[in-house]
Amino acid sequence: GGSAGSGGSRGLSDAERACQLADAMMVTAAFEGTASEGVPDIARNCRFELTGGEVDSVSVFHFGDDSGWEPTRQGFEDNTGGTTDVPGLGDEAFYPNNVGPYSLVVRANGIIFEVSVSVAFITPSAGLAADVEELARAIVGS
């Protein structure tokens, strides 16, 4: 990825790196509705707006290289009521217990990323957790 003259991933913010992990086609394929192009957001995340589906937006976060896995995980342990392992996804993966499987944090391909959804005022469907996992697997495999 990377546009001409960007020098690869050097000098990019984590949010810009997050936008290199997934694109609108990947997000649209994983979720109901149609995703806009990802836009770098304020929390190391690339935000995709969705129309016509269950979720308002999907965020892909880039937390840096996987040498930071232990402190990253500990931060979620301390701040989200613990974590629950998700086997068979990347090298290691978990979801924060305060949001359940609607947010997945994954160590794969030498980096740490998270896929998270924003749902407006409704109880998420059972299928939504599978959609989150589908996008995470697409990122791991890409």
Side-chain angles (χ1 to χ4, degrees):
S3 55
S6 71
S9 61
R10 281 185 235 278
L12 293 183
S13 69
D14 283 330
E16 289 167 327
R17 285 192 182 94
C19 284
Q20 294 183 329
L21 293 176
D23 59 31
M25 236 169 52
M26 290 166 69
V27 175
T28 297
F31 292 88
E32 291 174 17
T34 304
S36 66
E37 285 302 321
V39 176
D41 207 359
I42 56 173
R44 297 178 165 179
N45 64 313
C46 187
R47 183 180 172 95
F48 299 86
E49 302 291 335
L50 275 92
T51 52
E54 179 178 7
V55 299
D56 294 332
S57 66
V58 173
S59 281
V60 175
F61 295 79
H62 187 291
F63 290 127
D65 70 64
D66 65 1
S67 63
W69 179 251
E70 291 305 325
T72 298
R73 180 158 192 157
Q74 192 60 51
F76 279 94
E77 289 280 350
D78 294 344
N79 297 305
T80 64
T83 61
T84 299
D85 284 314
V86 178
L89 178 55
D91 299 316
E92 287 180 80
F94 64 84
Y95 61 77
N97 289 348
N98 64 334
V99 292
Y102 306 108
S103 180
L104 294 175
V105 182
V106 182
R107 180 172 74 84
N109 305 326
I111 63 161
I112 303 163
F113 71 88
E114 179 182 15
V115 172
S116 191
V117 296
S118 171
V119 180
F121 311 117
I122 59 166
T123 304
S125 69
L128 184 53
D131 294 345
V132 171
E133 185 171 331
E134 183 181 337
L135 180 56
R137 289 189 185 284
I139 293 169
V140 168
S142 64

